[in-house]
C-alpha cells in the first residue's frame, strides 16, 4: 500500500521568492508521482509527473520537482513565485502505474505581493 | 482540451434523502473516479470504474454507490444522505497511453451540504 505525506499544511512567501513544497512517500516498488494544483473553488489541475528517467522533471508554469529514491521524496520547487501561484498543492502517488492514485493532504501556498 | 463536467455544482440535501451527482467526460478515457475532499484529509477515493457497466470500490465506499452506464458518464449515488457526507466531490478521468499516461483530469467539483 502506498502512502504520501505533505508535512507543511501552510507555506507563506513573498512574490519573487523561491519555494519548495515537500512530499514524501512510502512504497517499496515502482512508483508514479505527480503534483496537482487547486485554485480556490476550482478542480485540481495537473502540474507534472515522474515515473522513470531523469529525476528532475519540469512542469507547467515554471514548476519543477525532483525525485529522490533514497529520501523517498518528490519535492516541488519554483525559483520565483508570482501572486497567482497562491493555491493548494497536492502530491499524489500510484504504485506501479496502477489504477489507484493516493493524494496527500495538500499544502496551501500563499504568495504575498 | 480534455473536459470533465459535473452536475450539480452545488446541492443542499436533507438527511435521509437521495442524492445523485453526475459526471460527464469527453476525453474518451476508460478510467473514471469519484473523490471527496474534506479539510485536512486531502482527496479520498470513493469509487472508480475502468469500463462501462462496471464499478469498483475505493478507500471509503460505505454509504455510496456508483453507476457507469457508458464510457462518458459516471454517477455517484447517496441513497440515504447523512450529515457526515457534507463535502466537496470531485470526478476525474484518467489518461492511459501516450505522453499523458496517468494524468487525471478533474471536474470543477460538486459541493454537497446535508442538513
Amino acid at each position: 500500500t502506498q502512502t504520501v505525506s505533505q508535512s507543511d499544511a501552510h507555506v507563506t512567501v513573498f512574490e519573487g521568492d523561491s519555494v519548495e513544497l515537500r512530499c514524501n512517500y512510502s512504497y517499496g516498488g515502482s512508483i508514479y508521482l505527480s503534483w496537482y494544483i487547486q485554485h480556490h473553488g476550482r478542480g485540481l489541475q495537473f502540474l507534472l509527473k515522474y515515473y522513470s528517467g531523469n529525476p528532475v522533471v519540469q512542469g507547467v508554469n515554471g514548476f519543477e520537482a525532483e525525485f529522490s529514491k533514497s529520501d523517498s521524496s518528490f519535492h516541488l520547487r519554483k525559483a520565483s513565485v508570482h501572486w497567482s501561484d497562491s493555491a493548494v498543492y497536492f502530491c499524489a502517488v500510484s504504485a506501479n502505474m496502477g489504477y489507484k492514485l493516493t493524494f496527500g493532504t495538500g499544502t496551501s501556498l500563499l504568495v504575498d505581493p | 482540451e480534455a473536459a470533465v463536467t459535473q452536475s450539480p455544482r452545488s446541492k443542499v440535501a436533507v438527511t435521509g434523502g437521495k442524492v445523485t451527482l453526475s459526471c460527464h467526460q469527453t476525453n474518451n478515457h476508460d478510467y473514471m473516479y469519484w473523490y471527496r475532499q474534506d479539510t485536512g484529509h486531502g482527496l479520498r477515493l470513493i469509487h472508480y470504474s475502468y469500463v462501462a457497466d462496471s464499478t469498483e470500490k475505493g478507500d471509503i465506499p460505505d454509504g455510496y454507490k456508483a453507476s457507469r452506464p457508458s464510457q462518458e458518464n459516471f454517477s455517484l449515488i447517496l441513497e440515504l444522505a447523512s450529515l457526515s457526507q457534507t463535502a466537496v466531490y470531485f470526478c476525474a478521468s484518467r489518461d492511459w497511453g501516450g505522453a499523458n499516461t496517468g494524468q487525471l483530469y478533474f471536474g470543477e467539483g460538486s459541493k454537497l451540504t446535508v442538513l
Side-chain angles (χ1 to χ4, degrees):
Chain A
T1 302
Q2 70 265 24
T3 63
V4 57
S5 67
Q6 296 180 246
S7 54
D8 299 316
H10 302 278
V11 172
T12 301
V13 296
F14 290 102
E15 196 168 38
D17 285 351
S18 63
V19 70
E20 179 177 86
L21 306 181
R22 293 179 292 182
C23 173
N24 290 89
Y25 67 90
S26 175
Y27 184 72
S30 298
I31 197 150
Y32 172 93
L33 295 150
S34 52
W35 277 94
Y36 287 79
I37 180 173
Q38 183 182 33
H39 289 286
H40 181 69
R42 306 296 300 277
L44 282 73
Q45 292 178 289
F46 175 81
L47 277 179
L48 48 75
K49 68 180 182 219
Y50 171 83
Y51 184 61
S52 63
N54 190 335
V56 179
V57 292
Q58 305 295 324
V60 299
N61 212 18
F63 286 97
E64 70 172 29
E66 183 168 4
F67 168 71
S68 171
K69 188 173 183 179
S70 60
D71 294 339
S72 298
S73 67
F74 189 57
H75 302 329
L76 181 70
R77 301 189 294 245
K78 187 168 183 178
S80 178
V81 295
H82 186 263
W83 64 265
S84 60
D85 293 323
S86 295
V88 181
Y89 292 79
F90 290 95
C91 182
V93 301
S94 176
N96 297 314
M97 280 291 285
Y99 71 89
K100 182 178 174 181
L101 205 63
T102 300
F103 285 84
T105 52
T107 297
S108 177
L109 175 66
L110 177 62
V111 180
D112 281 335
Chain B
E1 178 75 17
V4 178
T5 54
Q6 296 181 227
S7 63
R9 292 292 313 282
S10 179
K11 183 173 181 64
V12 178
V14 296
T15 303
K18 182 177 180 179
V19 176
T20 300
L21 304 179
S22 300
C23 179
H24 178 80
Q25 56 117 345
T26 58
N27 305 328
N28 198 34
H29 292 163
D30 288 327
Y31 278 81
M32 295 187 74
Y33 301 80
W34 276 106
Y35 286 90
R36 72 175 272 174
Q37 184 176 35
D38 302 274
T39 304
H41 285 279
L43 277 76
R44 293 181 289 174
L45 181 63
I46 307 171
H47 285 287
Y48 70 99
S49 168
Y50 54 85
V51 68
D53 296 321
S54 177
T55 63
E56 306 292 335
K57 295 180 179 179
D59 296 325
I60 55 164
D62 293 345
Y64 301 94
K65 291 183 180 179
S67 173
R68 182 91 182 270
S70 63
Q71 187 194 42
E72 297 80 17
N73 296 293
F74 190 37
S75 297
L76 186 68
I77 303 151
L78 291 67
E79 295 279 3
L80 295 169
S82 67
L83 295 173
S84 64
Q85 294 176 312
T86 292
V88 179
Y89 293 85
F90 286 98
C91 176
S93 71
R94 191 173 190 187
D95 201 338
W96 206 270
N100 295 325
T101 290
Q103 180 176 335
L104 286 177
Y105 295 82
F106 282 86
E108 292 290 280
S110 296
K111 183 177 181 180
L112 175 64
T113 303
V114 182
L115 302 175

